[in-house]
Amino acid sequence: MTYTVEVADLTKSYGSTEVLRGVDLAIAPGTVHGLLGANGAGKTTLVRILATLIGYDGGTARVAGHDVSREPHSVRGAISLTGQYAAVDERLTARENLTMVARLRRLSRIESAARTDELLARFDLGTIADRRATTFSGGQRRRLDLAMSMVVPPTLLFLDEPTTGLDPRSRDQVWATVRELADTGVTVLLTTQYLEEADQLADRISVLDGGQIVAAGTPEELKTQVAGEVVRLSYGDGARYEAARAALRTTEVTADPVLLTLDVPSNGTPDSLRVLLDTLAAADALPHRVGMHAPSLDDVFLTLTAPTLEAHR
Ligand code: ATP
């Protein structure tokens, strides 16, 4: 398989600060790849290297089959940047913004007009096509931004936190649009700190921490890798709670003596629940409530990434 992005042992320092310390990354064509990391983890640096905006110190990086440092022009022809790199001109209408990009990409006047109409329809911008972008809502602007990045469909689209600040309906619309782009064969590299966004959109995720990929896989793989399901036992009185703690002393429980809860790791099967509840009943320590807690990407993120990166910035 030829990957759209192939990065091996990539390193980058700013002065004495090592920002990327041997990053490996492979992204298959037509997939959405989520790059997760706390502030300062190195996400922007990696994107800027792949987009040929800055150089790197060691390793290799290829985009759409082209070496990023030796063939930057070919790489630039294959990529498109959105999000914080957006090119929307607020003084122009949606139609004018799209036509401007089309003309810059050397489409003829007739081709530009046709492509603009097509994109206005596809990105649901038809009714506001002739309004200036200053009057747009966040969701409308985000859709225009995406439409502009698709004037000449790129092989690789960089998306930076595409739904920050959007209400749930607009957010769902942008997510659907991004999925559609991937379905048409565009490869998407999504950088985000929003785990729900990565969970919804990404086929695979890499977690970057301290300049290294510390975990990679599908969202489901990462969740099972970090934490299995947990049974939460909640108690109303301290005596029963302590009795339960004693009864489960050989199990790896996480106890919260303030909330009077016990989190017990579980594989979620009815048999394992029955054994647990039988043990508690025998000790006269049944809880007043039992809940199942499936791991989220938040658990993955909190478990895998260091909490103090922001302090190093
Ligand atoms: P955020 O989520 O906050 O955007 P990030 O994961 O994108 O963070 P980067 O912007 O790649 O992180 O920054 C990684 C580290 O590199 C940070 O410690 C940052 O201060 C440092 N850094 C980035 N650009 C430069 C620069 N031009 N000169 C010196 N240090 C830099």
Side-chain angles (χ1 to χ4, degrees):
M1 138 122 56
T2 312
Y3 290 98
T4 305
V5 174
E6 280 183 279
V7 170
D9 203 20
L10 193 71
T11 55
K12 169 77 178 173
S13 297
Y14 287 113
S16 59
T17 313
E18 283 185 294
V19 177
L20 299 180
R21 299 186 297 144
V23 169
D24 296 314
L25 184 67
I27 305 180
T31 61
V32 179
H33 195 97
L35 184 62
L36 288 184
N39 291 128
K43 303 180 296 293
T44 309
T45 303
L46 179 56
V47 165
R48 290 174 72 84
I49 290 171
L50 295 176
T52 75
L53 298 172
I54 56 172
Y56 54 93
D57 302 327
T60 55
R62 296 176 72 79
V63 169
H66 305 290
D67 187 284
V68 167
S69 60
R70 280 198 290 270
E71 305 161 89
H73 289 294
S74 306
V75 171
R76 275 176 222 147
I79 63 172
S80 198
L81 292 161
T82 65
Q84 66 185 16
Y85 320 97
V88 174
D89 187 331
E90 307 259 312
R91 296 160 304 174
L92 303 181
T93 66
R95 188 186 302 281
E96 287 165 348
N97 265 296
L98 286 164
T99 310
M100 179 188 69
V101 176
R103 297 292 287 155
L104 284 172
R105 300 298 295 257
R106 299 186 190 286
L107 271 64
S108 73
R109 228 172 260 285
I110 291 169
E111 284 168 340
S112 297
R115 186 72 182 135
T116 295
D117 283 341
E118 212 175 290
L119 291 167
L120 286 170
R122 176 154 158 219
F123 287 82
D124 199 16
L125 294 163
T127 54
I128 52 167
D130 297 307
R131 269 175 35 192
R132 282 170 192 255
T134 33
T135 68
F136 285 8
S137 71
Q140 291 166 338
R141 194 174 312 229
R142 229 54 75 86
R143 293 207 305 280
L144 175 57
D145 182 25
L146 278 174
M148 288 168 68
S149 68
M150 295 304 293
V151 167
V152 175
T155 306
L156 175 64
L157 176 67
F158 294 98
L159 265 187
D160 184 60
E161 295 185 353
T163 60
T164 310
L166 299 189
D167 66 51
R169 196 187 307 276
S170 312
R171 186 195 62 186
D172 287 354
Q173 214 176 357
V174 169
W175 281 346
T177 308
V178 173
R179 287 258 33 122
E180 277 169 36
L181 294 184
D183 291 344
T184 64
V186 176
T187 308
V188 178
L189 177 53
L190 166 78
T191 45
T192 187
Q193 298 182 42
Y194 295 96
L195 305 169
E196 199 195 341
E197 182 157 276
D199 207 358
Q200 289 289 328
L201 279 181
D203 297 298
R204 293 182 68 80
I205 289 175
S206 297
V207 182
L208 190 61
D209 187 48
Q212 285 179 313
I213 303 288
V214 293
T218 65
E220 293 313 314
E221 279 167 1
L222 289 182
K223 286 178 207 169
T224 38
Q225 185 181 327
V226 163
E229 287 193 80
V230 165
V231 177
R232 172 159 294 180
L233 309 170
S234 305
Y235 287 84
D237 77 89
R240 234 168 227 272
Y241 172 74
E242 288 307 332
R245 273 185 90 162
L248 299 174
R249 66 189 176 283
T250 55
T251 317
E252 262 188 44
V253 298
T254 307
D256 187 329
V258 177
L259 291 176
L260 298 184
T261 58
L262 296 172
D263 284 347
V264 186
S266 165
N267 57 14
T269 59
D271 273 350
S272 69
L273 273 180
R274 187 179 322 120
V275 169
L276 174 64
L277 293 176
D278 284 350
T279 306
L280 292 168
D284 196 17
L286 279 173
H288 81 270
R289 206 183 144 71
V290 181
M292 293 294 291
H293 168 68
S296 69
L297 270 188
D298 286 301
D299 297 320
V300 174
F301 193 76
L302 292 170
T303 308
L304 291 177
T305 65
T308 53
L309 278 171
E310 184 69 282
H312 297 313
R313 303 193 87 193

